[in-house]
Amino acid sequence: MEKQFTEHLKKINGYNEAISLLYWDFRTGAPKKGADLRSETIGILSSEVFQLSTSNEFGELISSLESKKDELDSVMRRSVEEARKDYDLSKKVPPEEYKNYVVLQAKAESVWEDAKAASDFSMFQPYLEELVASTKKMIGYWGEKNGSPYNTLLDQYEPGMTTEVLDDVFGKLRDRIVPLVKQIQDSQAKPETDFLFKQFPKDAQREFSNKILEQLGYDFEAGRLDETVHPFMIGINRHDVRITTKYDEKDFRTAVFGTIHECGHALYEQNFGEELSGMPVEDGASMGIHESQSLFFENFVGRNELFWKNNYELLKTHAPEQFSGVELDDYYRAINESKPSLIRIEADELTYALHIMIRYELEKGLFNGEVQVSDLPKLWNEKYEEYLGIRPANDAEGVLQDVHWAGASFGYFPSYALGYIYAAQLKNAMMKDVPNFDELLEAGQVAPIREWLTKHVHQHGAMKKPLEILQDATGEGLNAEHLASYLEDKYTRIYQL
Amino acid sequence: MEKQFTEHLKKINGYNEAISLLYWDFRTGAPKKGADLRSETIGILSSEVFQLSTSNEFGELISSLESKKDELDSVMRRSVEEARKDYDLSKKVPPEEYKNYVVLQAKAESVWEDAKAASDFSMFQPYLEELVASTKKMIGYWGEKNGSPYNTLLDQYEPGMTTEVLDDVFGKLRDRIVPLVKQIQDSQAKPETDFLFKQFPKDAQREFSNKILEQLGYDFEAGRLDETVHPFMIGINRHDVRITTKYDEKDFRTAVFGTIHECGHALYEQNFGEELSGMPVEDGASMGIHESQSLFFENFVGRNELFWKNNYELLKTHAPEQFSGVELDDYYRAINESKPSLIRIEADELTYALHIMIRYELEKGLFNGEVQVSDLPKLWNEKYEEYLGIRPANDAEGVLQDVHWAGASFGYFPSYALGYIYAAQLKNAMMKDVPNFDELLEAGQVAPIREWLTKHVHQHGAMKKPLEILQDATGEGLNAEHLASYLEDKYTRIYQL
């Protein structure tokens, strides 16, 4: 029975590998005239995966393994649990309705594009209303979890997470960040940043990015770095975990920090335990835990002064003119400039979480009945004013800036901020086992740091729930204190507050 | 019924697109640690395609379309014929035996590799004997065609081709080439070639290759150029036809002529008629016709003096030192040096066909009972002595040099030489419609040349049989005279014979 189960999974994995590669290729250089046929092909294989994942045969395999749960080893037992969860989620919705839901998303994404271009929320509003209504209906099929519709959504990305927990930690974090943002605005010690925006040729950026990836321990024999428009990490198969990046010749930070971020995701997947091979638990524990790995590397490593003590000279050899006469400290302060912005994806370390909280509060309201879709533009702008002190001039800059809602990805945003909180907690716990963290980073010896993460996070894949990983690694539950202190320390020094 | 047929094909095409991309990726940069899982995935999808292609449902669709043949349009009618041919070929062999046959090939390929490395034919001999025996058994299942076992194999690559025809044209061609090869060996006017082998950086080669592809009319919006070890052209989908090449920094000819060669294949597939979309006739008419397109561009365009009159200065800008002081005429003579060699894949225009004939004669003997596998090394060496005047020092240089036989690709080699003969015939016919061929080439205006090929060859795909294409385009049957005259003219001038 176990053999049939793994054989079935092997087939699903094969299809998924093909789909991942078709997608990766699409995003990294497939010729544009082939796009229509390519989309059709992805559709054909995806519907095959859906059929394999929802077949009665597979359901029976799951059931019979459940009936002898106690005889299964831990990997198989957790895999059966995961398989059951996904199977039920897919089976509970009538196929026809699920199809309509997917079609609605595709339509809404294209309307969102037009609405954003026209900066007109009213074009998008009826679609968003329908998406919210349809998602509520889906929640009805799935069965409400943890006491509220929005908690049901949270649980899909962050198993066990609830608004009660989030309200608490986000609230505490906000109370620490918002005053800091105001202090920074009033600070006289603002960093000079002009030199960041000089011409930095793409080839030199690529070369530097590759060297940094090597330093961080990214395995190039099990991955590769390519160029794309919207960067992502993708696991094609267990030993083929690819990174993509974007080279902006007028702002090298996009590629450098983007590559380090995606590298964090990739190190997670390159270091899943061998014993998870081919099983449903060979996956991140949650969106938030995945994001904790990318943000750990992007911020705690990549934006760390000691990392640049080791790498600034190397950077200079790739763009000698750009940084000529710029001291390390000035460089460090420049790349850590904090400035309230309207755009989440360009936000700095300090303000990033505020962007996420705004979306979280609005989403929660939408699903728990306190917010109407029609109120969103007004509420959005008010919250930006309140948290960040700036106000979008129009819908495109405001409520229409992200595609996520058009794709019905409700409940996903909080993971971005959660990942950041997790990362700070992991960093704090790591300091006990790796007390020479600073010296290692300054010497470019990242291995012990990465190995700690592999031991406490990577290798477990989805064998543990996110909060279990956190508890086992740090000895505590979700706690925003570490992130808040880190940000206060860092920005107090940079802005001489 | 037609709709179900095309829907079924759409699914097969989707799987094939995924397989092609997985293969392309494998050969152009997939990380090596992912190789095992990648092979498994290709295996999973391939067996799915096999099942779809041999299903009873598909067989019934073909039968019912055959029963109303007269109501079908020409594309559908030819497609049903092609589908029937492939279906029968697959269905006639008991699945278990076919599987063993494929396993034997995989095993033989790996033994061949070892045998070649050890330069020891005796290691490979038992496998080759089994391959020949198994292939004869397959012929038994498929049913002998055109009166002999070997003709059955020829027909699979070159529909309608027989040893009677090949013996005749190959004989005539050999009688013209062999004396020429001897004359060249005695010539005192040998070109200087040292400058060909200077350092030519990869990036500059890539840039030049891209410019040449553009000039030849390769559509970069429906394809791309990448690097690989053994170059190939691959149609991923109808609007995504990719070329690969290899950059040897000590011999730029590998990339330049290799790229032009693959471009010829790609122009064929980029210019299939729109009306063939998604049908089995959206394919080359035969291996030989496909090769005629690559060889037309490689030799009649790429090794043409007038092509270089237009492009030599451009080449020089990419490697100024290498060609400094080298006159166009000396360059032209150098790239057309003819010298008997032991290695087919490095052979020049003149001697290439002789390599093919040797393999053809041996294969024919194997399948028509006149040659034993154990005789091959001796016969191989004797024929090289006779046709090319040189003798391999060992099996690795001789009978073991090609992988084809290990993969049971018997009957495939002749297509290489046939393609060359077709190309010369097409060139001759083209001169009547495009009398200013020389001026066009010298001016870099390749469009009218390519369009003639599209009109007479490309657009038809597999709607016509190879000899039909030849007859319709040139007004004659297979005829080696044009190739022989071309070679005599060209080499008489180059070597001042």
Side-chain angles (χ1 to χ4, degrees):
Chain A
M1 204 57 77
E2 292 185 43
K3 196 169 175 309
Q4 283 162 276
F5 182 70
T6 52
E7 282 302 315
H8 194 91
L9 290 172
K10 201 174 261 181
K11 201 164 170 180
I12 293 178
N13 292 343
Y15 281 88
N16 279 330
E17 173 167 357
I19 293 168
S20 299
L21 185 70
L22 288 158
Y23 175 83
W24 171 86
D25 182 68
F26 212 6
R27 297 284 165 224
T28 56
K32 68 176 197 180
K33 287 185 184 169
D36 287 348
L37 282 169
R38 171 61 54 90
S39 303
E40 256 186 54
T41 293
I42 291 176
I44 288 168
L45 292 175
S46 301
S47 89
E48 206 62 34
V49 167
F50 185 78
Q51 276 174 35
L52 286 167
S53 309
T54 56
S55 71
N56 293 332
E57 185 203 342
F58 190 46
E60 282 158 23
L61 281 171
I62 295 172
S63 298
S64 64
L65 285 170
E66 282 170 335
S67 72
K68 51 169 202 166
K69 209 171 168 177
D70 299 337
E71 301 160 39
L72 306 177
D73 69 22
S74 59
V75 170
M76 184 58 82
R77 200 162 50 234
R78 275 285 301 134
S79 291
V80 171
E81 278 173 33
E82 285 294 302
R84 163 61 67 198
K85 189 175 152 190
D86 292 343
Y87 187 80
D88 284 352
L89 276 184
S90 306
K91 286 295 258 197
K92 281 179 177 169
V93 182
E96 198 55 30
E97 274 191 60
Y98 188 74
K99 201 178 150 195
N100 292 341
Y101 187 50
V102 172
V103 170
L104 174 63
Q105 288 166 31
K107 179 72 189 147
E109 285 187 23
S110 121
V111 171
W112 167 80
E113 244 176 66
D114 295 342
K116 188 179 174 187
S119 192
D120 181 358
F121 182 74
S122 72
M123 287 166 67
F124 183 51
Q125 184 179 322
Y127 290 88
L128 187 52
E129 280 165 350
E130 208 179 327
L131 281 165
V132 172
S134 298
T135 303
K136 285 181 177 167
K137 210 168 162 196
M138 292 294 142
I139 295 170
Y141 290 122
W142 293 325
E144 207 172 276
K145 229 175 161 178
N146 305 323
S148 82
Y150 191 61
N151 281 351
T152 311
L153 298 173
L154 284 176
D155 188 73
Q156 290 187 6
Y157 298 103
E158 214 57 28
M161 191 52 62
T162 65
T163 51
E164 292 67 29
V165 176
L166 286 181
D167 286 342
D168 179 49
V169 291
F170 281 2
K172 285 177 181 155
L173 191 58
R174 193 179 55 236
D175 291 346
R176 304 277 285 273
I177 294 178
V178 170
L180 208 50
V181 170
K182 296 220 162 71
Q183 276 179 280
I184 285 173
Q185 275 178 305
D186 298 338
S187 161
Q188 296 307 310
K190 296 214 167 63
E192 196 56 64
T193 59
D194 289 1
F195 62 87
L196 295 177
F197 309 105
K198 290 193 182 155
Q199 179 78 13
F200 193 147
K202 190 190 275 199
D203 285 346
Q205 288 194 42
R206 184 184 293 117
E207 213 178 284
F208 181 72
S209 298
N210 275 304
K211 285 178 188 162
I212 294 301
L213 285 174
E214 242 169 70
Q215 198 179 110
L216 298 180
Y218 176 73
D219 183 354
F220 277 100
E221 290 189 352
R224 47 182 285 167
L225 173 67
D226 292 270
E227 194 180 345
T228 191
V229 178
H230 299 290
F232 57 93
M233 180 283 306
I234 190 166
I236 310 263
N237 73 37
R238 206 222 168 299
H239 299 291
D240 184 354
V241 180
R242 304 187 182 187
I243 296 175
T244 60
T245 198
K246 181 177 155 182
Y247 302 104
D248 179 344
E249 296 202 324
K250 290 291 181 200
D251 189 350
F252 74 97
R253 297 176 305 171
T254 306
V256 169
F257 296 107
T259 302
I260 297 175
H261 180 96
E262 301 307 334
C263 177
H265 281 305
L267 289 174
Y268 194 0
E269 304 213 349
Q270 284 189 334
N271 292 294
F272 285 151
E274 273 296 339
E275 70 281 10
L276 313 183
S277 285
M279 303 302 277
V281 288
E282 187 182 48
D283 199 359
S286 70
M287 290 304 310
I289 295 289
H290 226 309
E291 203 66 17
S292 77
Q293 299 308 295
S294 53
L295 289 172
F296 185 95
F297 280 94
E298 181 183 350
N299 293 336
F300 297 95
V301 173
R303 290 188 212 272
N304 191 314
E305 190 165 12
L306 300 163
F307 176 79
W308 289 107
K309 263 201 178 162
N310 180 50
N311 286 305
Y312 188 45
E313 286 308 313
L314 182 68
L315 179 71
K316 277 180 158 177
T317 63
H318 289 82
E321 282 174 45
Q322 178 161 7
F323 302 107
S324 125
V326 179
E327 294 299 319
L328 172 61
D329 190 55
D330 294 328
Y331 169 79
Y332 168 70
R333 294 180 65 226
I335 60 166
N336 282 293
E337 185 193 29
S338 176
K339 207 163 63 177
S341 72
L342 297 168
I343 312 291
R344 174 182 66 87
I345 51 171
E346 289 169 13
D348 56 77
E349 247 185 293
L350 179 64
T351 56
Y352 184 78
L354 298 177
H355 290 264
I356 301 306
M357 291 174 199
I358 292 172
R359 288 156 180 78
Y360 161 66
E361 290 169 19
L362 296 175
E363 281 191 352
K364 185 180 63 168
L366 280 176
F367 281 90
N368 293 348
E370 293 141 17
V371 169
Q372 300 305 311
V373 169
S374 55
D375 300 333
L376 286 175
K378 188 170 156 284
L379 289 173
W380 182 284
N381 293 353
E382 285 171 7
K383 282 187 190 286
Y384 264 80
E385 184 98 55
E386 182 188 348
Y387 293 175
L388 287 146
I390 48 175
R391 202 180 173 89
N394 54 50
D395 292 343
E397 280 185 8
V399 66
L400 287 174
Q401 71 181 254
D402 288 311
V403 68
H404 302 57
W405 288 343
S409 296
F410 304 109
Y412 178 97
F413 277 118
S415 297
Y416 289 125
L418 276 172
Y420 203 4
I421 296 171
Y422 294 153
Q425 292 189 253
L426 291 170
K427 168 76 194 323
N428 187 66
M430 186 189 291
M431 291 305 284
K432 289 165 205 151
D433 299 328
V434 190
N436 59 337
F437 180 96
D438 289 354
E439 290 79 19
L440 288 168
L441 204 57
E442 192 177 339
Q445 288 165 13
V446 183
I449 297 168
R450 190 185 63 246
E451 284 157 10
W452 189 94
L453 290 168
T454 294
K455 182 178 169 196
H456 293 278
V457 182
H458 304 162
Q459 64 165 334
H460 305 296
M463 283 294 288
K464 301 181 185 184
K465 306 266 181 212
L467 291 175
E468 232 177 310
I469 289 194
L470 194 68
Q471 184 73 41
D472 292 351
T474 70
E476 58 180 5
L478 191 61
N479 181 357
E481 170 59 30
H482 303 291
L483 179 58
S485 307
Y486 160 78
L487 290 171
E488 281 168 357
D489 286 355
K490 179 165 185 171
Y491 285 97
T492 300
R493 280 200 301 121
I494 292 176
Y495 282 89
Q496 301 163 16
L497 304 177
Chain B
M1 205 56 77
E2 291 185 44
K3 194 166 177 309
Q4 284 162 275
F5 181 70
T6 51
E7 283 302 315
H8 194 90
L9 290 173
K10 201 174 264 183
K11 201 162 170 183
I12 294 178
N13 292 342
Y15 281 87
N16 279 329
E17 173 167 358
I19 294 168
S20 300
L21 185 69
L22 288 159
Y23 174 82
W24 170 85
D25 183 66
F26 212 7
R27 297 283 165 224
T28 56
K32 68 176 196 180
K33 288 185 184 166
D36 287 348
L37 282 170
R38 171 62 52 89
S39 303
E40 257 186 53
T41 294
I42 291 176
I44 288 168
L45 292 175
S46 301
S47 89
E48 207 62 33
V49 167
F50 185 78
Q51 277 173 34
L52 286 168
S53 310
T54 56
S55 71
N56 293 331
E57 186 204 340
F58 190 46
E60 281 158 25
L61 282 170
I62 296 172
S63 298
S64 65
L65 286 169
E66 283 171 333
S67 73
K68 50 170 203 169
K69 208 170 168 177
D70 299 338
E71 300 159 39
L72 307 176
D73 69 23
S74 59
V75 171
M76 185 57 82
R77 200 162 51 234
R78 274 285 299 134
S79 292
V80 171
E81 277 174 33
E82 285 296 302
R84 163 61 67 198
K85 190 175 151 188
D86 293 342
Y87 187 80
D88 285 352
L89 275 183
S90 305
K91 285 295 257 194
K92 281 179 177 168
V93 182
E96 198 54 30
E97 275 193 59
Y98 187 74
K99 201 178 150 195
N100 292 340
Y101 187 50
V102 172
V103 170
L104 174 64
Q105 288 166 31
K107 179 75 190 144
E109 285 187 23
S110 121
V111 171
W112 166 80
E113 245 176 64
D114 296 341
K116 189 179 173 188
S119 194
D120 181 358
F121 182 74
S122 72
M123 288 166 67
F124 183 50
Q125 186 179 323
Y127 290 88
L128 187 52
E129 279 166 350
E130 207 180 328
L131 280 165
V132 171
S134 298
T135 303
K136 283 179 178 169
K137 210 168 162 197
M138 292 294 142
I139 294 170
Y141 289 123
W142 292 326
E144 205 172 278
K145 227 171 162 180
N146 305 323
S148 83
Y150 192 62
N151 281 351
T152 310
L153 297 173
L154 285 176
D155 188 73
Q156 290 186 6
Y157 299 102
E158 214 58 29
M161 191 53 62
T162 64
T163 51
E164 291 67 30
V165 176
L166 286 182
D167 286 343
D168 179 49
V169 291
F170 281 2
K172 283 178 180 155
L173 190 58
R174 191 179 57 237
D175 290 347
R176 302 277 285 274
I177 294 177
V178 171
L180 208 50
V181 170
K182 297 223 162 69
Q183 275 180 283
I184 286 173
Q185 276 178 303
D186 299 337
S187 161
Q188 297 307 310
K190 296 212 167 66
E192 198 55 64
T193 60
D194 289 0
F195 63 88
L196 295 177
F197 309 105
K198 289 191 183 158
Q199 180 77 13
F200 193 146
K202 193 190 269 198
D203 285 347
Q205 288 194 41
R206 183 184 294 117
E207 210 178 286
F208 181 72
S209 297
N210 275 305
K211 285 180 186 160
I212 294 301
L213 285 174
E214 242 169 70
Q215 198 180 108
L216 298 181
Y218 176 72
D219 183 353
F220 276 98
E221 290 189 351
R224 48 182 282 169
L225 173 66
D226 293 270
E227 195 178 345
T228 192
V229 178
H230 299 291
F232 58 92
M233 180 283 305
I234 190 165
I236 309 262
N237 73 37
R238 206 221 169 296
H239 298 292
D240 184 354
V241 179
R242 304 186 183 188
I243 296 175
T244 60
T245 197
K246 182 177 156 183
Y247 303 104
D248 179 344
E249 295 202 324
K250 290 292 181 198
D251 189 350
F252 74 98
R253 296 175 306 170
T254 304
V256 170
F257 296 107
T259 302
I260 298 175
H261 180 96
E262 301 307 334
C263 178
H265 281 305
L267 290 173
Y268 193 0
E269 303 212 352
Q270 284 189 334
N271 292 293
F272 286 151
E274 273 297 339
E275 71 281 10
L276 313 182
S277 283
M279 304 300 278
V281 288
E282 187 183 47
D283 197 0
S286 70
M287 291 303 309
I289 295 289
H290 226 308
E291 203 64 19
S292 77
Q293 298 309 294
S294 53
L295 290 172
F296 185 94
F297 279 94
E298 181 183 350
N299 293 336
F300 296 96
V301 173
R303 290 190 212 272
N304 191 314
E305 190 166 10
L306 300 162
F307 175 79
W308 289 107
K309 263 202 178 162
N310 180 51
N311 286 305
Y312 188 46
E313 287 307 313
L314 182 68
L315 178 72
K316 277 179 158 177
T317 64
H318 289 81
E321 281 174 44
Q322 177 163 9
F323 302 108
S324 124
V326 180
E327 295 297 319
L328 171 62
D329 190 55
D330 295 327
Y331 169 79
Y332 168 70
R333 292 181 66 226
I335 60 166
N336 282 292
E337 185 193 29
S338 175
K339 206 160 67 177
S341 71
L342 296 168
I343 311 291
R344 175 182 66 85
I345 50 171
E346 290 170 12
D348 57 76
E349 246 185 295
L350 179 63
T351 57
Y352 183 78
L354 299 178
H355 290 263
I356 302 307
M357 291 173 198
I358 292 171
R359 287 154 180 78
Y360 161 67
E361 289 169 20
L362 296 175
E363 281 190 351
K364 185 179 65 170
L366 281 176
F367 282 89
N368 292 349
E370 293 142 17
V371 168
Q372 301 304 311
V373 168
S374 55
D375 300 332
L376 285 176
K378 187 169 158 282
L379 288 173
W380 180 285
N381 293 353
E382 285 172 7
K383 282 189 189 288
Y384 264 81
E385 182 98 57
E386 182 188 350
Y387 293 176
L388 287 145
I390 50 176
R391 202 179 174 91
N394 53 50
D395 292 344
E397 279 185 10
V399 66
L400 287 174
Q401 71 179 257
D402 289 309
V403 67
H404 301 58
W405 288 344
S409 296
F410 305 108
Y412 179 97
F413 275 119
S415 296
Y416 288 124
L418 276 171
Y420 204 3
I421 296 171
Y422 293 155
Q425 292 188 254
L426 292 170
K427 167 77 193 325
N428 188 65
M430 185 189 290
M431 291 305 283
K432 289 166 202 149
D433 299 327
V434 189
N436 59 337
F437 180 96
D438 290 353
E439 289 80 17
L440 288 169
L441 204 57
E442 193 176 336
Q445 288 164 13
V446 183
I449 296 168
R450 190 186 63 248
E451 284 158 9
W452 190 94
L453 290 168
T454 294
K455 182 177 169 195
H456 293 279
V457 182
H458 305 163
Q459 64 165 335
H460 305 297
M463 284 294 288
K464 301 182 184 184
K465 306 264 182 214
L467 291 175
E468 233 178 306
I469 289 193
L470 193 69
Q471 183 73 40
D472 291 352
T474 70
E476 58 180 6
L478 190 62
N479 182 355
E481 170 59 30
H482 302 291
L483 178 58
S485 307
Y486 160 77
L487 291 171
E488 281 167 357
D489 286 356
K490 178 165 185 171
Y491 285 96
T492 299
R493 278 198 302 119
I494 291 174
Y495 282 88
Q496 300 164 16
L497 304 176

